[in-house]
Amino acid sequence: MNMHHEFAPIHVVYGGADRFKPDTPKKLAVISAMFLKTYASDEKEFSEAFEMDKPLAFIVRERVAKRLSGQAVQDFRADFEDGFGYRPSGEEDEAAIRLAAVVAEAMEAGSLSPKFGIRPKAPSAALFERSVRTTELFLNALRERTEDLPSGFVITLPKIESADQVAKYVEHVDRIEGQNGHKPGSICLELMIETPQALVTSDGRDAIPMLVEACDGRCESLHFGAYDFLSSVGIDDADFELHHPLCDTARQRMQLTGAPLGMRWCDGVTTTLPIEIHRGAELSDEQRAENMESVHRGWRLAYNDIRQSMSMGFFQGWDVHPAQLVARYAAVYAASLEHADGAAKRLANFLEQATRATSVGADFDDAATANGLLNFFRRGMACGALTEDDLQSRGLDPHKIRAFDFAALVTE
């Protein structure tokens, strides 16, 4: 498998490809910081918004504010599917070429997110030519402006239904890659699991291993499209929820069949957004209160969804509105800080046991658990939830944690 990028973002922001600009990631950060300042101006309001204890809220809010003042957007997907819609062919052609020019400008300015990619339309029979054409127009136009691909570049394929669809699309990626002089396999893919056919074939076999194999080493992660999935299995939209029991079943199947293949996975989005009901400078006290309640409600729903997804092993999810970044970082940071003490004690205990076992020639078979704890701290530092001081105060060496070398840790 072709895993190019060790960096694992905690979210991916989707936005219409036609609206993307070189400063879009920065503008999203500014808007998200404005929402934090307006609707959680201190730890009291932050605590109320997320139903969080005040001492924890004080630390989490401070760290969220710091993240939003910098590189808040870790991953961005310029969307030609749901976020773009169905438009005349010429209009989408122009949008793909325009996006390439904008991305090249952003690359030169250093303003892209650490990971970036596009989502063309589904490679289904009806849309296959459109999907490939958009991909080719974007990559060819980008190649005219720069020899390099964006950092962490990936193409997200939506509404996959068969390995044949994926394999056929990959043939075109191979061709485009070759004609533009890119290193073979340099373009990574993400597969969106949004249909039952992407989980189980018509003859009852697991579909994900076939889909990943069809990527020919390019697949790095699986993304779950909860609402398209629920619709495809006949659930009424009144019952759409990110953690509907059928969604949990789909996630578990993704994990059980994707984990042996080294896949990462990404969860869907909370569709109730933390947005203001009333706009304008001259608002009444009642209108301001209604805005506060609306934003807090959207934050709480997203926060709870994210925490539940994390408990199931989904550490990345979609965001579609800048205000959701507040809830995203609040959830991840709170979870990291809540679990840091216990995780540090467990890791120290594992390391002590491992050293003893090594010294007497005994077997030590808890490496997988210890690796999981190392991953916990590594993720926490990467996203800003945990600082080096946090680790050092708990008796851990942040440099060793970043090295992620369990063998080195237990043999010193």
Side-chain angles (χ1 to χ4, degrees):
M1 186 181 57
N2 195 1
M3 296 291 290
H4 303 300
H5 310 289
E6 292 186 1
F7 173 75
I10 64 170
H11 71 165
V12 54
V13 177
Y14 276 81
D18 57 323
R19 298 189 296 274
F20 186 78
K21 296 179 181 178
D23 62 349
T24 290
K26 180 60 178 177
K27 282 188 174 180
L28 294 176
V30 169
I31 294 170
S32 63
M34 180 273 292
F35 268 86
L36 177 66
K37 182 178 180 180
T38 304
Y39 296 105
S41 60
D42 54 28
E43 66 269 23
K44 180 179 181 295
E45 288 184 350
F46 194 88
S47 173
E48 292 170 353
F50 296 106
E51 299 176 342
M52 191 183 299
D53 291 341
K54 284 185 181 178
L56 178 61
F58 177 81
I59 300 172
V60 172
R61 189 196 178 281
E62 184 180 63
R63 294 188 184 182
V64 170
K66 182 178 180 180
R67 169 58 66 172
L68 298 182
S69 69
Q71 194 171 64
V73 178
Q74 295 188 345
D75 193 1
F76 191 93
R77 208 65 74 246
D79 193 12
F80 288 96
E81 206 222 4
D82 291 341
F84 184 84
Y86 298 94
R87 308 187 190 185
S89 182
E91 189 172 339
E92 184 161 337
D93 288 352
E94 291 176 3
I97 295 169
R98 186 206 71 90
L99 177 66
V102 171
V103 169
E105 183 179 343
M107 290 171 64
E108 185 175 354
S111 60
L112 276 186
S113 51
K115 287 198 65 154
F116 176 87
I118 64 170
R119 179 169 72 164
K121 290 182 169 59
S124 61
L127 296 171
F128 187 84
E129 289 186 8
R130 179 67 265 174
S131 180
V132 170
R133 181 172 175 79
T134 297
T135 303
E136 185 166 15
L137 283 171
F138 169 76
L139 289 171
N140 287 352
L142 183 65
R143 181 64 179 82
E144 291 176 0
R145 294 165 174 80
T146 175
E147 294 183 358
D148 299 320
L149 292 167
S151 173
F153 180 71
V154 65
I155 297 173
T156 306
L157 287 184
K159 298 179 176 63
I160 300 299
E161 293 183 335
S162 73
D164 287 343
Q165 289 178 348
V166 176
K168 187 177 177 183
Y169 182 87
V170 167
E171 288 179 4
H172 287 276
V173 173
D174 288 340
R175 174 181 56 79
I176 297 166
E177 209 171 51
Q179 72 189 24
N180 286 329
H182 296 305
K183 182 180 177 181
S186 57
I187 297 175
C188 291
L189 299 179
E190 295 168 338
L191 302 180
M192 295 199 69
I193 308 303
E194 302 179 272
T195 67
Q197 296 94 325
L199 292 171
V200 186
T201 65
S202 59
D203 58 358
R205 292 179 293 166
D206 287 323
I208 284 177
M210 300 178 191
L211 298 177
V212 173
E213 183 179 4
C215 289
D216 195 23
R218 296 179 182 275
C219 188
E220 65 175 30
S221 60
L222 307 172
H223 287 219
F224 183 49
Y227 306 105
D228 279 300
F229 177 77
L230 289 173
S231 177
S232 70
V233 294
I235 303 300
D236 190 81
D237 60 359
D239 296 312
F240 280 8
E241 291 183 9
L242 186 58
H243 286 279
H244 187 285
L246 276 173
C247 290
D248 288 342
T249 299
R251 288 186 190 89
Q252 290 162 359
R253 190 126 192 176
M254 289 170 62
Q255 290 170 300
L256 291 172
T257 57
L261 305 173
M263 293 292 101
R264 295 198 303 267
W265 32 78
C266 177
D267 212 347
V269 65
T270 302
T271 54
T272 300
L273 302 178
I275 56 176
E276 300 155 321
I277 301 172
H278 308 287
R279 302 289 180 87
E282 302 298 328
L283 298 181
S284 67
D285 290 343
E286 182 180 358
Q287 288 174 322
R288 290 192 183 92
E290 288 175 349
N291 278 350
M292 178 79 80
E293 174 53 32
S294 177
V295 172
H296 282 196
R297 178 172 179 268
W299 276 348
R300 279 193 296 272
L301 288 170
Y303 178 91
N304 290 332
D305 278 344
I306 294 162
R307 291 294 299 260
Q308 190 168 346
S309 294
M310 292 175 67
S311 73
M312 297 183 69
F314 279 70
F315 298 107
Q316 183 183 12
W318 304 3
D319 293 315
V320 295
H321 189 281
Q324 288 182 310
L325 296 178
V326 177
R328 173 72 55 186
Y329 284 107
V332 175
Y333 287 14
S336 297
L337 289 163
E338 287 171 0
H339 299 150
D341 285 343
K345 290 177 182 177
R346 289 179 63 202
L347 181 56
N349 184 53
F350 281 130
L351 297 178
E352 184 179 353
Q353 290 180 29
T355 302
R356 283 205 209 104
T358 302
S359 67
V360 298
D363 291 330
F364 179 70
D365 58 3
D366 255 325
T369 306
N371 270 325
L373 291 167
L374 286 165
N375 264 332
F376 166 81
F377 287 108
R378 195 181 186 200
R379 278 195 303 268
M381 286 192 292
C383 70
L386 300 174
T387 66
E388 290 192 358
D389 287 344
D390 290 328
L391 271 66
Q392 290 170 345
S393 68
R394 291 168 173 83
L396 300 175
D397 185 334
H399 301 294
K400 291 179 178 178
I401 296 297
R402 285 196 180 95
F404 198 60
D405 187 348
F406 181 74
L409 283 168
V410 301
T411 56
E412 289 188 353

